[in-house]
Amino acid sequence: MAQKTQGTELFYVKSPTSIVKIGRLTGVTGTGGANSQIDKTDLDSTENEYIAGLPNPGAVSVPINFTPSLLAHQELYALWQSGASTSFIVGLSDGTALPTIATGTVTYPATRTFFDFNGYIADFPIDAAVNSKLETAMTIQRSGPKNPHFKTGGV
């Protein structure tokens, strides 16, 4: 059975005691990261030979219906301007429970799948066009691993 995407949410860690939901998302893409290649070809090889190297964290694209009055959108803009890194959390649509944080430690409910990663906002363009809405295609540059926290107990 396919899983619908409605209900997928993105959060960022604002402080050691605060997680903020980023509202008005229209998507989250690019959470992967291909492994680099390490060439192990030698003179006995008949073709190039490779082994997997380190994963290269990609950029995560987050299209948003930008709402200037939303505090979370204002804070994201300021985070982009500062260049500071933070943790981001994707909550998939297989549940509705929210992550919590206390003294810098995030707790993930077992009733929903989450992925977390660190990164910085590389771009936050604000687009306006005729007969449209304000939009941004925020780009988060991942740094380091993406950690899964899978929902438990069911099919």
Side-chain angles (χ1 to χ4, degrees):
M1 181 172 90
Q3 179 71 44
K4 290 185 177 183
T5 59
Q6 260 51 43
T8 299
E9 298 174 303
L10 181 64
F11 308 86
Y12 67 95
V13 175
K14 180 178 177 178
S15 73
T17 58
S18 177
I19 294 175
V20 177
K21 177 185 169 184
I22 302 169
R24 311 284 198 282
L25 303 181
T26 61
V28 178
T29 61
T31 59
N35 289 346
S36 60
Q37 293 181 343
I38 299 173
D39 189 341
K40 67 171 201 156
T41 309
D42 59 39
L43 293 176
D44 293 325
S45 300
T46 58
E47 291 189 18
N48 287 336
E49 298 176 29
Y50 300 95
I51 57 174
L54 294 173
N56 186 6
V60 178
S61 180
V62 184
I64 300 171
N65 289 331
F66 181 67
T67 307
S69 61
L70 279 180
L71 183 58
H73 291 189
Q74 295 171 16
E75 290 174 346
L76 289 169
Y77 189 86
L79 193 58
W80 165 61
Q81 288 184 312
S82 76
S85 292
T86 192
S87 294
F88 293 88
I89 303 164
V90 178
L92 298 185
S93 59
D94 61 352
T96 59
L98 301 175
T100 57
I101 191 168
T103 61
T105 301
V106 178
T107 301
Y108 299 96
T111 57
R112 184 179 190 184
T113 301
F114 295 92
F115 290 92
D116 66 34
F117 59 90
N118 290 323
Y120 64 91
I121 299 174
D123 201 4
F124 199 90
I126 298 171
D127 299 323
V130 172
N131 198 30
S132 189
K133 60 193 180 305
L134 290 175
E135 299 174 306
T136 183
M138 178 174 70
T139 303
I140 303 168
Q141 177 57 56
R142 280 186 38 225
S143 179
K146 174 182 65 180
N147 305 299
H149 306 273
F150 291 105
K151 178 178 181 174
T152 58
V155 173

